[in-house]
Amino acid sequence: MPDSSDTSPPPHPFLRWTVIAIAVTVLALAFAYVAGWLTPQRLTPQRMVSDLQTNSGLYPGFRRNHAKGVCVAGYFEGNGAASAYSTASVFEKARTPVIGRFSIPGGNPYAPDGGTPVRALGLRFNLPNGQQWRTAMINTPVFIVSTPAAFNQLTVATRPDPATGKPDPARAGAFFASHPETAAFLGWAKTNKPSASFATDRYDALNAFYFVDTHGQQHAVRWRFEPEAKDEAGAGPKADDNDYLSQDLRQRLATTPQRWHLLVTLAAPGDPTNDATKMWPADRTTIDAGTLVIESEQAQDNAPCRDINFDPTILPAGIVISDDPLLPARSAAYADSYLRRTREEARLPGVAHADTPKPETK
Amino acid sequence: MTAPRAFHPLARLLHWTMAVLVLTMLFIGVGMVSTVSSKHQWLLAIHKPLGITILLLVVLRIMVRLRFQPPALPADMPALMKFAAHASHWLLYALMLAMPLIGWAMLSAGGYPVMLSSSWRLPAILPASPVLFAWLREAHQYLAYLFFLTILGHMGAALYHALIRRDDVYPSMTTGFPAPVEIAEKPLEHIEPPAPEVLPPSDNAG
């Protein structure tokens, strides 16, 4: 054992310095690899969000997808019917406060409501024990793709052509041709006109989850919120009105709270939990677990929902995520979008500031 | 007051345990934010309870550090090298303490429930604020890079002591001189510092 009195130069100094250099370099390279710095082809949350941002343009302070929306508040009243399957207190016969947000897809917060048939609802349930249930749903029974990689390819394939402002049909068509799983969603989009009201739409969680009961038993489920309001037939927005959804919601809530039933579908053995493009057969047991009551709305600019990341993997005890590969990707990408817009809100150095004025032209 | 030749066994145990945990934590952190695979979820599930574990361990470690005097640096080390050694140790302690607290504060400011398991939740330590969240989230990331660079430097310096200078520094944190040495044998568990025959009086334990 050498001690402090040994001042003679070490034998093989070059070899010794090499050992030190290799040790430090190997550790640094391992870190760089894990961080993705050596693998630029890796699909990262940053890349998914950057690609969305490229498609829509940058709107500082806004979400990178579903940028246009309106904040709502209300409560969920459980009826106990789902408590046999999940220990989450939200399903008991009790009221749980809810903050939510209706939105339409895309990164442009000034997009016309009629430009897409898709409507979305994000909800955050504040449970009495401090836990939360967050869910972000859209009004289709199936999602367009089943994997994060396919979603990113779809984003790139439908990038607006700078010359026309519209996606290149050949490029988009090639993507859909090579992704037959998109057929169910495309069929829905073809037959569903943009709805005239957020209040008359149903909202489907798309991804499967597991409810966990008191015995620790897991039950694969999908849930959706089915509206009580059914007056859509005949109603329709004026052709030149781009913001009718929030106006309609304001008018309805001025007189009546709007209600949805939480319908929970239980999987049968063999039903896929990892593929959001596939519906489960219609005969599966479905439970009415309670009623969502939305009582008020507020513009999103400065209302509580603005600062909520509706990450669908934030769940209370009694609900866990399934093996659906979209769920971790949603969590990771939403977190990156949240960081980008809060950075802009905080006016951090090197980012666009959130108070950038609304663009003059569309 | 003179310094012992080696670190107290408890200090050594904490050092090597935390070395593994902190490096694991830094790799988990940088990995989980750069993947959209299912790794994102399980790495995130480890990151939070492991961070709180490190916070508790570093509090214990600071108490051990204050209770048991560490060995002095070799007297023949150049002043600049001594300064770098002391400064980097202060920085490592500061980061071990600050990183878990910043992570906890950041989740609080983001309005997230701070879940250590599916049902074990820590209270928020800051009010929800997007501005605070953004600053803390950036700090968490860049201080993590600083942490990793400091550890690289620390590791390189430790190997320099072990392989080039071949002084007491490296064994003082590893074996603690278990072999018979020229001084009287004293069990390392003793609370009072071992006999100081070999080393000159400590200038500053740092």
Side-chain angles (χ1 to χ4, degrees), chain B residues 63-106:
Chain B
M63 292 193 293
V64 166
R65 172 78 186 229
L66 294 173
R67 175 67 187 79
F68 303 106
Q69 193 185 6
L73 290 171
D76 60 341
M77 259 172 75
L80 190 63
M81 214 182 269
K82 277 190 177 171
F83 171 78
H86 289 141
S88 62
H89 283 90
W90 277 108
L91 184 59
L92 287 169
Y93 271 97
L95 289 169
M96 283 188 286
L97 194 60
M99 284 295 282
L101 289 172
I102 292 173
W104 186 354
M106 164 194 118

Side-chain angles (χ1 to χ4, degrees), chain A residues 2-3 8 10 16 23 31 34-35 42 44-46 129-132 134 309 313-314 328-329 331 338-339 343 348, chain B residues 5 27 30-31 33-34 36-37 40-41 110-113 118-119 121 130 133-135 137-138 148 155 160 163 166:
Chain A
D3 66 27
S8 58
R16 286 163 184 265
F31 191 78
V34 171
R42 183 194 297 180
T44 62
Q46 292 77 22
N129 59 7
Q131 297 178 16
Q132 295 181 5
R134 300 188 189 186
N309 164 7
T313 67
I314 295 179
S331 179
Y338 188 66
L339 174 58
R343 264 195 320 224
L348 256 57
Chain B
R5 195 175 176 200
F27 276 85
V30 81
V33 297
S34 63
V36 297
S37 75
H40 178 264
Q41 296 313 117
Y112 296 103
S118 65
S119 55
R121 187 182 63 88
F133 170 82
W135 281 104
R137 173 63 180 73
E138 293 283 277
F148 185 72
M155 189 182 89
Y160 167 73
L163 299 176
R166 295 178 298 151

Side-chain angles (χ1 to χ4, degrees), chain A residues 245-277:
Chain A
L245 287 171
S246 58
Q247 289 161 25
D248 167 84
L249 190 66
R250 194 173 309 126
Q251 280 165 13
R252 287 174 190 256
L253 289 173
T255 56
T256 333
Q258 300 296 307
R259 300 159 71 87
W260 285 259
H261 289 266
L262 169 57
L263 301 184
V264 178
T265 299
L266 296 164
D271 287 347
T273 53
N274 62 355
D275 189 344
T277 65

